């Protein structure tokens, strides 16, 4: 649910060996007819002008929907958090948004990045490349910020190729950030996959998006981790 | 619409799993075998074709005469309905708190249908025809059940063609649905578009999907209508608490 239909301009093009479509900043083309993706981006840019968030959440529907549940008010509003999640966004869309104004007016201490599950057609390596491009961009624009990358969650009711892809993305990103002092990967999967390989709709109501219960299980440890990071940032 | 043309919005169509994790079929699977839990049959992104397919392929087969009590935040609220449609409905589901032992036995009395905003390939007339086909299917399969069709909401930050299209769909439904006897149209969209033509993210967080505040705004006229329909039900159809 909550999927803004996207048409990535560079999806079809992989001409040069070096170009990674998941790491090439790309806006969403409005194919539905009401321009909502760009409206949201503009809303985020203007909305940030009078805010001073300590934490910025950025990513896809899992970030966007988090803002709609009680857990946001409970755990993250007190941390002075802002939410720039857009449903359906892939890494290259987040990269474009952050390159085009969403970081221009704020200096959060921590950026929480959660993206990658919607990168359909991209390999795990490409998706990792996209995530790392975002990490680098944040470093360039906000030299003092810490980037906390959240692991992509498993999805689908039973084992399927996307689960393997997402697990591989997490592994690759974890390796890539291990040498960086300003970023890390946090695994927020509390164990959604049961011993028989199934995921419950009580946790992921459509086997992709989190229920309130699912969000609680993800957000309690995330919140604790964030508080620790913010305290460390305050000491430095 | 001429009888010779086929309306593509009224052609039942399953969602093809192009992403690779088979989520759409899994959700139906769960619903086929959990009818007691099936209050809400909404699936994000669904078009009229997808809803039609789902209703024709099992989602009505196992509806046993069950009625459930849902405790809303303001107190016990009697709800004898299922809601079918697109991505609006699953979120509404979570505003209600279920108490598992509050089951009543009685006939399914109302079905709420909310679908059409995702039918991007179809004209307004086709979309309305698809919604009508769903209402017709429901009234024929469940003759004692009333059907409430919710009007499509405005969408997008400012005026745009999809708002005009959705308004046109609503216009068709207003005139067509009364002919179905058991079906009626309810417009819950009043107030979302401000005088300057904008929609606020306080009501629709992405200019399409409702926030909790947005849902609260539509819940009032909807629950008023549902209560009115349930009050009109003859005594012998009413459930008694077991």
């Amino acid at each position: 649910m909550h999927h803004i239909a996207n048409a990535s301009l560079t999806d079809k093009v992989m001409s040069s060996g070096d170009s990674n479509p998941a790491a090439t900043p790309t806006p969403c083309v409005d194919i539905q007819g009401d321009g909502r993706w760009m409206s949201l981006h503009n809303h985020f840019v203007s909305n940030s002008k009078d805010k001073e968030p300590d934490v910025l959440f950025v990513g896809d529907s899992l970030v966007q929907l988090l803002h709609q549940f009680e857990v946001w008010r409970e755990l993250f509003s007190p941390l002075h958090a802002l939410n720039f999640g857009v449903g359906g966004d892939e890494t290259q869309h987040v990269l474009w948004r952050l390159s085009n104004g969403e970081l221009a007016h704020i200096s959060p201490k921590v950026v929480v990045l959660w993206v990658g599950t919607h990168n359909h057609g991209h390999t795990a390596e490409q998706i990792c490349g996209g995530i790392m491009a975002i990490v680098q961009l944040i470093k360039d624009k906000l030299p003092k910020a810490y980037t906390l990358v959240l692991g992509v969650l498993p999805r689908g009711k039973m084992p399927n190729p996307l689960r393997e892809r997402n697990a591989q993305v997490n592994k690759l990103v974890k390796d890539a950030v291990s040498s960086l002092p300003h970023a890390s990967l946090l695994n927020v999967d509390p164990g959604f996959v049961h011993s028989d390989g199934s995921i419950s709709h009580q946790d992921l109501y459509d086997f992709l998006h989190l229920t309130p219960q699912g969000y609680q299980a993800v957000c309690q440890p995330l919140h604790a981790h964030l508080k620790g990071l913010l305290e460390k940032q305050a000491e430095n | 619409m001429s009888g010779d043309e086929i309306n593509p919005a009224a052609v039942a169509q399953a969602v093809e799993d192009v992403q690779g994790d088979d989520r759409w079929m899994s959700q139906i699977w769960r619903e086929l075998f959990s009818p007691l839990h099936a209050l809400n049959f909404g699936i994000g992104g669904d078009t009229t074709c997808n809803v039609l397919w789902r209703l024709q392929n099992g989602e009505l087969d196992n509806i046993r005469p069950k009625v459930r009590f849902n405790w809303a935040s303001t107190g016990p609220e009697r709800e004898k309905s299922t809601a079918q449609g697109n991505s609006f409905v699953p979120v509404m589901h979570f505003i209600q708190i279920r108490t598992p032992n509050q089951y009543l036995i009685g006939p399914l009395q109302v079905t709420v249908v909310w679908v059409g905003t995702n039918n991007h390939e179809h004209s307004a007339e086709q979309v309305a025809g698809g919604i009508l086909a769903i209402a017709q299917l429901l009234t024929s399969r469940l003759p004692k059940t009333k059907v409430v069709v919710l009007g499509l909401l405005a969408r997008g930050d400012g005026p745009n063609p999809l708002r005009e299209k959705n308004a046109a769909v609503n216009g068709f439904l207003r005139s067509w649905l009364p002919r179905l006897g058991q079906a009626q149209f309810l417009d819950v969209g009043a107030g979302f578009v401000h005088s300057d033509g904008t929609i606020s993210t306080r009501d629709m967080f992405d200019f399409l999907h409702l926030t909790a505040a947005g849902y609260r705004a539509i819940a009032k006229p909807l629950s008023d209508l549902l209560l009115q329909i349930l009050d009109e039900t003859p005594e012998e159809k009413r459930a008694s608490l077991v």
Side-chain angles (χ1 to χ4, degrees), chain A:
Chain A
M1 92 184 247
H2 306 289
H3 179 95
I4 298 180
N6 302 326
S8 295
L9 297 174
T10 56
D11 265 355
K12 305 175 191 86
V13 176
M14 264 296 279
S15 45
S16 94
D18 291 333
S19 78
N20 174 3
T24 309
T26 312
C28 274
V29 176
D30 174 32
I31 57 175
Q32 291 183 358
D34 55 7
R36 289 179 305 112
W37 192 86
M38 199 54 78
S39 295
L40 267 174
H41 167 68
N42 292 334
H43 173 76
F44 290 155
V45 174
S46 58
N47 198 35
S48 64
K49 286 181 184 161
D50 61 350
K51 303 272 197 311
E52 289 173 7
D54 288 333
V55 184
L56 174 69
F57 281 74
V58 67
D60 56 28
S61 47
L62 287 162
V63 173
Q64 184 176 43
L65 290 172
L66 172 58
H67 201 197
Q68 300 308 314
F69 286 99
E70 192 50 39
V71 68
W72 180 267
R73 259 169 301 282
E74 219 187 306
L75 295 180
F76 301 118
S77 292
L79 299 183
H80 307 287
L82 214 55
N83 186 309
F84 286 179
V86 176
D89 262 17
E90 305 174 39
T91 54
Q92 64 274 19
H93 305 128
V94 172
L95 197 54
W96 189 94
R97 292 198 281 120
L98 296 182
S99 306
N100 285 272
E102 287 184 17
L103 295 180
H105 310 288
I106 51 176
S107 317
K109 302 186 172 84
V110 180
V111 179
V112 180
L113 174 64
W114 208 8
V115 68
T117 198
H118 298 304
N119 276 64
H120 300 300
H122 298 155
T123 63
E125 288 74 18
Q126 288 174 323
I127 299 171
C128 172
I131 291 171
M132 293 315 296
I134 299 170
V135 171
Q136 183 60 50
L137 177 80
I138 294 169
K139 176 87 171 67
D140 293 340
K141 293 214 177 255
L142 304 171
K144 298 203 189 110
Y146 190 95
T147 298
L148 185 63
V149 182
L150 302 187
V152 242
L153 293 177
R155 51 184 286 175
K157 186 174 181 189
M158 297 306 293
N160 64 81
L162 293 188
R163 281 200 203 168
E164 291 157 38
R165 182 203 69 179
N166 284 1
Q168 183 63 6
V169 168
N170 293 343
K171 182 177 181 304
L172 292 171
V173 170
K174 186 163 189 175
D175 289 342
V177 294
S178 59
S179 56
L180 302 178
H182 59 273
S184 61
L185 176 94
L186 182 67
N187 175 17
V188 290
D189 176 9
F192 286 135
V193 180
H194 297 206
S195 50
D196 65 353
S198 69
I199 282 177
S200 166
H201 69 274
Q202 316 259 32
D203 296 319
L204 300 171
Y205 61 83
D206 62 352
F207 310 104
L208 174 62
H209 295 101
L210 293 159
T211 60
Q213 168 182 312
Y215 269 121
Q216 281 292 338
V218 162
C219 290
Q220 292 291 345
L222 168 59
H223 173 255
H225 194 91
L226 262 180
K227 283 190 77 175
L229 279 176
L230 288 167
E231 274 152 31
K232 260 202 227 135
Q233 292 280 78
E235 283 163 22
N236 294 346

Side-chain angles (χ1 to χ4, degrees), chain B residues 45-188:
Chain B
D46 262 18
T47 63
T48 54
C49 312
N50 306 138
V51 171
L52 263 174
W53 189 94
R54 295 198 278 120
L55 295 177
Q56 289 170 357
N57 285 273
E59 286 188 10
L60 297 180
D61 293 356
N62 292 334
I63 288 196
R64 290 189 233 144
K66 278 275 181 204
V67 159
R68 51 190 309 158
F69 244 126
N70 280 292
W71 293 79
S73 55
T74 53
E77 188 180 351
R78 188 164 241 202
E79 183 186 286
K80 301 181 197 178
S81 64
T82 65
Q84 280 147 348
N86 59 16
S87 53
F88 291 99
V89 190
V91 180
M92 194 160 78
H93 193 51
F94 295 118
I95 294 175
Q96 298 155 343
I97 304 155
R98 289 188 259 162
T99 48
N101 55 351
Q102 303 277 346
Y103 284 105
L104 309 179
I105 308 297
L108 179 68
Q109 285 170 262
V110 186
T111 300
V112 179
V113 178
W114 210 7
V115 67
T117 199
N118 298 323
N119 279 61
H120 297 298
E121 312 290 300
H122 305 135
S123 69
E125 202 182 349
Q126 289 175 329
V127 177
I131 297 168
L132 189 70
I134 291 167
Q136 282 167 330
L137 177 73
L138 288 168
T139 53
S140 65
R141 288 284 301 269
L142 306 167
K144 299 205 175 94
T145 304
K146 296 250 163 60
V147 177
V148 172
V149 175
L150 299 185
L152 302 188
L153 298 179
R155 50 184 286 172
D157 191 4
N160 65 81
L162 291 188
R163 282 199 199 169
E164 291 157 36
K165 180 182 171 189
N166 284 3
V169 171
N170 292 348
F172 286 118
L173 292 174
R174 272 195 189 88
S175 48
W176 295 349
L177 280 172
R179 301 177 206 163
L180 273 192
Q182 289 287 87
Q184 61 184 289
F185 176 80
L186 179 67
D187 188 345
V188 290

